[in-house]
Amino acid sequence: MKDEEFVNVPVPKSMVLAVYAFLAGQGAAVPEPEDFNAIVRKAYKESSEPTKRFLDLLAAQPDEWLGIGQIRDELGMGVHERPGVLSTFPRRWRGRYRQPGPLPFDVDGKGSRRRYRMGKEVAELITSMG
């Protein structure tokens, strides 16, 4: 490998882990990326009740931005419960489900100005499970 030439190959983010797995296996079959909708379903089903209520709230108002205060008020979350719910899902999404791409909802802003919204397609999927 000392004299081997290296090349850069553009790879979609969603396929990076599959390419690594392929290279590590030195020719093993590349696993198909799991369907986004299947991952959303799995993540929803494996979520805690407070997280499901958060996702249900976003799904009930697709394409609308909801601020942290509104989310807290509508879900009756305590000051300490809200950060746990809103930070746990993104960590699980990237860790357990190995999703380097976007979350199934949008996040904008920082601190007390942070807001969330869910697109119509994901909202319909969540609503169908609730």
Side-chain angles (χ1 to χ4, degrees):
M1 220 168 134
K2 180 179 168 188
D3 296 328
E4 197 166 338
E5 183 179 348
F6 289 84
V7 297
N8 290 320
V9 179
V11 176
K13 279 186 175 184
S14 64
M15 292 297 296
V16 168
L17 293 176
V19 171
Y20 287 157
F22 175 78
L23 294 174
Q26 298 180 13
V30 177
E32 287 294 317
E34 204 169 344
D35 175 31
F36 180 80
N37 288 344
I39 296 168
V40 170
R41 281 188 194 93
K42 184 176 183 179
Y44 181 85
K45 288 177 184 175
E46 294 178 357
S47 289
S48 66
E49 285 307 312
T51 301
K52 285 181 181 177
R53 289 192 332 258
F54 165 69
L55 295 170
D56 290 340
L57 176 64
L58 293 180
Q61 301 170 64
D63 294 326
E64 291 184 31
W65 287 104
L66 302 177
I68 284 182
Q70 183 179 1
I71 292 168
R72 184 188 63 231
D73 293 345
E74 291 198 33
L75 297 180
M77 290 181 172
V79 174
H80 300 290
E81 186 179 20
R82 178 184 44 85
V85 169
L86 301 182
S87 66
T88 302
F89 188 88
R91 280 197 310 268
R92 279 192 312 122
W93 185 254
R94 290 182 175 84
R96 181 184 301 173
Y97 307 115
R98 296 188 174 111
Q99 295 301 301
L103 294 164
F105 52 85
D106 299 321
V107 182
D108 181 55
K110 293 183 179 184
S112 63
R113 295 183 187 266
R114 184 163 286 174
R115 59 190 189 151
Y116 301 82
R117 82 172 165 195
M118 183 178 286
K120 186 177 180 180
E121 289 179 18
V122 175
E124 288 173 356
L125 180 62
I126 296 290
T127 302
S128 73
M129 293 186 297

